[in-house]
Amino acid sequence: MTVEVRPLGDKCNIKCRYCYQEGIRTAGNVPTRYDLDAIIATLDKLAEPFSLFGGEIMLTRRSDLERLMQLGFDRYGGVGMQTNGTLIEERDIELFRKYHVRIGISIDGPGPLNDARWAGNLPATRRATARIEAAIETLCREGMPPNVIVTLNRMNAAPDRLNVLCAWIGFLGGIGVRKLRLHLLEQDETEAGEGLALTAQENLVALRRLKRFEQELPSVQFDIFAEMAAMLGGDDAQTSCVFHACDPYATRAVVGVESDGRLGNCGRTNKDGVTHMRAGREAFERQLSLYRTPQADGGCQGCRFFLACKGNCPGTAIGGDWRMRSIDCPVWFGLFEDIETELLANGETAISRSERRSDLEAKMIAAWSIGDNPTLHSLIKQAGTP
Amino acid sequence: MTAALLTCSLTWPRPPLAATPREADIAKAAAQRISFSGPQTRALWQPRLERLGEVALAIELEMVRRKRIPAAVLWTGHDGIGALTERARSIGLDAKPIKASLGYAADWPLEASIDDPKRLLDYAFLIGAAPLDASIAEPAADGLEQAAIRFGYPPCCAKSWADYLRQGGSDPLARLLARGHKTAVPAYVALAVLGLGPIRHGPCAADCSATRDQSRAFLNLGRELGFAEEMSWLDEIADWPVVASLVNGIAEVTTAAFRCTWLSDEDTSPRHGTAATRPAKRVGAAAATVKSADSADILTELGVGFEAAGFENPFAMRSRFSTVVWEQTAALRRAASAVHVGCGDGLLLELISQTKPRLRLYGTEQDAAAAGASRRRLGASLPVLSGPSIEALAALSRLAPDGIDLAFVDPERLDCREALAAVRAIARSVIVIGTDRSLHRHKDMDTLAVTMGLALLPGRAGRVSAALSAPSGRPH
């Protein structure tokens, strides 16, 4: 579980066109103030390591931010922070060092490759991008290389730009960045991500290119491919939330601590502009439904990758309706096929091709039916080798 | 109401019920899946909904006691059975178990074990006047309609519900939320799923007038029993705008106060469901930028001439210049003019102009091709002076007779020893830039400065740029 502290909710200083929080901001549902004591009281109750998140976390008053950093450092030896990097200043570097802040920065590429992360007009966007690039280089030079999140879109991963993106990632590796997370652009109903979304085929081409490129990089790791291989191997202990059975009413992977200390969900499924609070009970209607719904109707019936994929993130569901499978299904399916082929060629097992797959699926469905969500690993262990 | 009774829930709809519903207890499932839209709405409505649950139970049992319906069906966990039967007995009714179902794992008592499965089960009890015949709640298929009428269904709803049960359905709302159903479902119908009233039966249609009459009867009985305030809450809920849908067998109801969901029946109607309502997004600016960026040569835009400028690749040059601007933010804020001596393709000047658009900027560049690239990048309004450094700086001093506030310079790129002196003569402050070439050779800005015989301002050395101190600074 990731605990995300969000003092200012979805408030952000830039307005990335593809941001999944834009619906909340458009609806005006962003807090203007926060209750730090209430936030800390909730963190006390949760007693879990946490990350500083947003919106843009660096909009938080520095003294309050430092208090949260210190809390994380004192209790857990450090704290995570996800930022767009545009508001990092010289004085912040020392705070990051002092409180062992693990920085994650979102950027889609240098200069024009980052234009989808819009800051109001083109000069402001380029200025913001330059500040992000500066923050990454500075953090690397200070021995605190950030993790980087890159969202693939038409500005950075269209066929004629993909080589540039790869070369830039190689540069990042050269200055010290070690982990890079690749995201697919969250498509919405407005003209396919306002013209920014790649087609499924383009996404697949880009990810395959990046997967090959990962082999050439001495030090940078894209976590997504290793996670997919792990899921097919039945090892879901360390994989990220998109491959787990997410309940959008009570997201297990992400618990938000909001401006007034209340608990929130991961905001990816907030399509109607409202940050709903966590439901009293976690349940798995989505997975139960996807398993039995034909693929033509937005389900996953008969898909051999269901145990590994589970319909993927409900925030990326077809039509913005969490009850459907991910709109990125063709991309994930293609990659799972590639990785499955590699695993089998290497003499390893893949649950998608296991004789025990239907038995494992039945056990998982039975567990979800009573509101339980066991790990795939535990089911395989019970059942013996897949 | 005893505390123990709160652990039980009234079924919705009333019997007859499906033999194998997807949710054994829809009302409980939907109630546990309520997700409030904010803390204020939760603070207001959570206790109200809990209270309405208690009141609905009281009203339903009163209807049994008055023999308006033959029985009520309640679900409870193993630990609630004693209190439930005692409560029934206290009002002269009997309680009889009719079925059991594996409950939700989250509701299992901590000390429960698979070796003692009875504590993992939820139990349905029929509450009615003795002697109780369990078959009244689950009659044979040919008696469903009559059973429904006995349990208070209006005839139109009884027939509809019996037909639906015979087709294998289990959730009355599934029919109303199905894609093919055209009539909007009002809140008091959609939220009947919570089991709170005022609709206690499965309605045949969203606008069924007999159902509306039944609803009024429930409210009237509630008021007669002293629950006036609670019935006013139900009146309020009845007027809420509501969005309700059924997609792939999952029902969802969204109001301004909360949303809830539950496993319903499959929708057998042919077309796809309506997606969630989403606010409109901005579209205009986005399309414009996609076009402009696509029309440019991306590598030129990123930066050319990186090797001559002392960098390993265009990304390093852009990143470094961005970092120089970032490090010198305060100096740039104070300045009114700046020059980049040896400006290459003008990238640093472009980044500076994006940070401080009103700054008067100048460039000098010895290489004619690079100077041309710089002019193309920066436009005609920003002077780029070409030619050897000394000549270009002399031209600059004529162009800016009052001097320049800031000069950015890579000392290794100056073509003669006198050039730095000329820079210092024209600029009130000189910022030395560390390139890949110079930093690989000298490791850091301090060593770079010492090696080149430059003195940096004390305490002002950045990671990739530094200000020269005023009094000295001659080339090595």
Side-chain angles (χ1 to χ4, degrees):
Chain A
M1 176 174 78
T2 302
V3 176
E4 293 178 347
V5 180
R6 300 174 358 110
L8 288 168
D10 296 315
K11 187 175 181 182
C12 190
N13 62 318
I14 60 175
K15 297 187 183 306
C16 303
R17 294 188 190 111
Y18 55 69
C19 181
Y20 65 86
Q21 296 172 338
E22 195 57 21
I24 299 282
R25 287 190 283 268
T26 305
N29 290 334
V30 286
T32 52
R33 59 185 70 179
Y34 52 84
D35 181 344
L36 195 61
D37 291 333
I39 289 171
I40 290 174
T42 302
L43 289 172
D44 285 342
K45 276 186 218 151
L46 288 171
E48 292 268 355
F50 58 90
S51 285
L52 304 171
F53 207 80
E56 175 47 47
I57 185 65
M58 297 297 288
L59 287 169
T60 312
R61 199 182 303 123
R62 285 298 191 279
S63 55
D64 294 335
L65 202 53
E66 181 169 4
R67 204 173 145 197
L68 289 166
M69 288 175 182
Q70 183 164 13
L71 184 75
F73 176 71
D74 290 345
R75 299 219 180 133
Y76 309 107
V79 61
M81 186 171 95
Q82 187 62 40
T83 171
N84 63 35
T86 59
L87 298 175
I88 293 176
E89 295 177 9
E90 183 68 49
R91 61 183 168 149
D92 299 320
I93 305 294
E94 270 319 297
L95 285 183
F96 298 160
R97 182 188 307 288
K98 185 176 176 185
Y99 298 116
H100 291 200
V101 181
R102 301 177 300 278
I103 311 287
I105 290 185
S106 303
I107 179 172
D108 296 342
L113 269 66
N114 196 44
D115 280 353
R117 299 182 65 78
W118 195 243
N121 56 54
L122 192 58
T125 301
R126 295 292 173 83
R127 179 170 66 239
T129 300
R131 288 187 64 83
I132 305 168
E133 292 187 69
I136 292 172
E137 173 154 350
T138 301
L139 288 165
C140 287
R141 287 186 174 277
E142 288 294 323
M144 298 182 283
N147 293 342
V148 171
I149 292 180
V150 171
T151 298
L152 301 181
N153 63 81
R154 195 152 291 288
M155 308 302 287
N156 67 349
D160 58 337
R161 294 183 173 205
L162 199 49
N163 284 338
V164 179
L165 179 67
C166 288
W168 174 70
I169 290 170
F171 159 74
L172 289 183
I175 63 172
V177 170
R178 293 289 168 264
K179 288 201 167 177
L180 198 142
R181 177 129 206 117
L182 298 169
H183 282 183
L184 299 185
L185 184 144
E186 190 174 311
Q187 294 184 43
D188 55 28
E189 292 160 334
T190 53
E191 299 167 21
E194 300 170 9
L196 290 169
L198 297 169
T199 64
Q201 186 59 30
E202 287 170 333
N203 267 319
L204 192 53
V205 166
L207 285 169
R208 282 175 169 157
R209 169 82 177 88
L210 288 160
K211 185 168 176 294
R212 285 196 305 276
F213 183 58
E214 187 183 31
Q215 313 300 318
E216 302 166 20
L217 290 169
S219 52
V220 182
Q221 190 186 13
F222 304 136
D223 39 15
I224 194 78
F225 306 119
E227 287 183 5
M228 293 177 80
M231 289 305 301
L232 284 179
D235 178 9
D236 52 355
Q238 302 293 326
T239 52
S240 54
C241 58
V242 296
F243 301 117
H244 290 248
C246 178
D247 168 17
Y249 272 61
T251 55
R252 182 182 281 198
V254 176
V255 174
V257 179
E258 305 297 329
S259 57
D260 51 6
R262 73 189 150 98
L263 296 179
N265 283 318
C266 171
R268 282 185 172 266
T269 55
N270 293 333
K271 305 300 185 193
D272 53 3
V274 178
T275 306
H276 280 97
M277 301 177 75
R278 293 176 75 78
R281 180 171 70 80
E282 185 184 33
F284 303 96
E285 301 99 347
R286 180 171 189 256
Q287 292 72 31
L288 293 168
S289 167
L290 290 177
Y291 185 71
R292 57 188 273 170
T293 300
Q295 294 184 29
D297 294 336
C300 303
Q301 190 184 76
C303 178
R304 69 181 190 274
F305 298 120
F306 180 73
L307 279 176
C309 175
K310 303 177 189 73
N312 210 263
C313 173
T316 65
I318 295 167
D321 191 320
W322 61 271
R323 294 167 286 191
M324 310 285 266
R325 72 168 184 272
S326 171
I327 196 167
D328 299 318
C329 170
V331 183
W332 299 123
F333 190 92
L335 280 178
F336 272 124
E337 267 191 325
D338 292 351
I339 295 167
E340 176 191 67
T341 304
E342 285 170 20
L343 289 173
L344 296 177
N346 293 334
E348 296 177 57
T349 53
I351 51 169
S352 50
R353 291 291 186 190
S354 166
E355 289 175 2
R356 306 291 299 274
R357 176 166 66 84
S358 57
D359 179 46
L360 288 170
E361 286 173 352
K363 284 187 164 66
M364 194 63 101
I365 291 295
W368 286 332
S369 299
I370 56 165
D372 197 10
N373 187 23
T375 63
L376 196 49
H377 178 71
S378 68
L379 289 188
I380 290 170
K381 210 170 157 188
Q382 277 173 19
T385 311
Chain B
M1 181 69 52
T2 65
L5 261 187
L6 297 179
T7 61
C8 67
S9 62
L10 200 53
T11 56
W12 186 84
R14 284 180 188 145
L17 300 169
T20 54
R22 290 189 76 190
E23 294 277 13
D25 181 358
I26 291 182
K28 179 182 173 185
Q32 288 190 334
R33 298 288 282 155
I34 286 177
S35 167
F36 288 95
S37 58
Q40 278 104 2
T41 51
R42 183 175 70 177
L44 179 64
W45 280 101
Q46 190 168 34
R48 285 186 176 185
L49 295 179
E50 286 169 5
R51 175 65 185 152
L52 283 171
E54 297 166 14
V55 168
L57 179 58
I59 294 172
E60 194 81 344
L61 291 178
E62 181 61 18
M63 290 187 79
V64 176
R65 213 181 57 79
R66 293 185 185 188
K67 297 190 172 15
R68 291 191 192 174
I69 53 176
V73 177
L74 273 65
W75 282 94
T76 185
H78 183 266
D79 294 349
I81 292 174
L84 185 146
T85 49
E86 188 182 325
R87 166 67 189 260
R89 230 174 273 132
S90 74
I91 53 173
L93 299 174
D94 199 7
K96 192 167 190 172
I98 52 172
K99 71 163 75 166
S101 170
L102 196 57
Y104 294 115
D107 295 338
W108 293 347
L110 280 176
E111 64 280 11
S113 154
I114 200 74
D115 300 328
D116 186 19
K118 65 178 184 292
R119 302 197 68 195
L120 308 181
L121 300 175
D122 285 342
Y123 300 86
F125 275 78
L126 197 64
I127 311 287
L132 266 172
D133 174 9
S135 69
I136 60 168
E138 294 178 24
D142 58 0
L144 288 171
E145 193 172 331
Q146 287 311 309
I149 288 171
R150 280 199 300 278
F151 275 94
Y153 284 61
C156 54
C157 301
K159 179 176 186 323
S160 163
W161 180 231
D163 288 346
Y164 190 60
L165 285 175
R166 280 190 285 267
Q167 290 161 21
S170 65
D171 176 5
L173 282 177
R175 297 173 300 166
L176 308 185
L177 301 181
R179 294 148 188 158
H181 200 90
K182 301 292 182 196
T183 312
V185 179
Y188 77 106
V189 174
L191 294 173
V193 69
L194 297 174
L196 310 176
I199 297 178
R200 295 286 309 133
H201 65 273
C204 62
D207 54 357
C208 168
S209 59
T211 294
R212 209 172 297 123
D213 293 343
Q214 290 277 25
S215 166
R216 274 194 285 271
F218 181 95
L219 293 168
N220 289 339
L221 179 57
R223 290 192 177 95
E224 183 192 326
L225 295 176
F227 302 124
E229 187 180 12
E230 290 84 352
M231 296 304 103
S232 72
W233 298 337
L234 284 179
D235 278 335
E236 185 181 337
I237 289 172
D239 292 333
W240 282 352
V242 65
V243 177
S245 61
L246 176 72
V247 173
N248 293 341
I250 304 174
E252 184 173 50
V253 176
T254 304
T255 71
F258 59 81
R259 61 179 183 175
C260 64
T261 188
W262 67 97
L263 272 177
S264 181
D265 299 331
E266 296 296 338
D267 179 2
T268 52
S269 57
R271 65 188 173 85
H272 288 293
T274 312
T277 309
R278 309 171 72 168
K281 287 182 141 190
R282 298 156 295 119
V283 291
T289 310
V290 171
K291 262 186 203 162
S292 72
D294 279 352
S295 63
D297 177 341
I298 203 75
L299 285 172
T300 303
E301 204 169 344
L302 284 170
V304 293
F306 59 89
E307 285 171 311
F311 294 96
E312 291 177 355
N313 54 57
F315 311 110
M317 183 167 76
R318 175 172 280 272
S319 174
R320 188 66 41 77
F321 284 165
S322 298
T323 310
V324 168
V325 174
W326 184 81
E327 285 186 348
Q328 301 302 329
T329 302
L332 284 166
R333 200 172 292 137
R334 290 190 297 269
S337 58
V339 60
H340 183 193
V341 180
C343 66
D345 77 340
L347 178 61
L348 177 60
L349 288 169
E350 183 182 51
L351 293 168
I352 291 172
S353 73
Q354 285 164 357
T355 296
K356 193 170 177 187
R358 290 186 183 172
L359 206 60
R360 269 182 294 116
L361 291 173
Y362 306 89
T364 74
E365 175 53 51
Q366 190 171 356
D367 180 80
S374 182
R375 289 187 190 103
R376 282 192 295 278
R377 179 187 289 278
L378 300 167
S381 60
L382 196 157
V384 177
L385 307 165
S386 52
S389 301
I390 289 290
E391 290 175 23
L393 288 165
L396 179 61
S397 64
R398 288 191 294 278
L399 204 59
D402 295 335
I404 304 286
D405 289 330
L406 274 180
F408 291 86
V409 60
D410 168 15
E412 293 195 328
R413 283 201 76 200
L414 293 175
D415 51 3
C416 66
R417 292 181 172 217
E418 292 72 26
L420 187 58
V423 173
R424 296 189 63 94
I426 196 170
R428 284 176 273 281
S429 182
V430 178
I431 307 295
V432 177
I433 297 168
T435 62
D436 282 355
R437 185 166 50 209
S438 58
L439 289 175
H440 283 172
R441 194 180 302 158
H442 304 295
K443 190 182 157 198
D444 56 36
M445 294 306 295
D446 284 319
T447 313
L448 166 69
V450 168
T451 310
M452 301 198 75
L454 304 172
L456 301 179
L457 277 180
R460 292 280 304 277
R463 298 163 193 88
V464 296
S465 64
L468 288 187
S469 66
S472 62
R474 287 181 296 277
H476 188 57

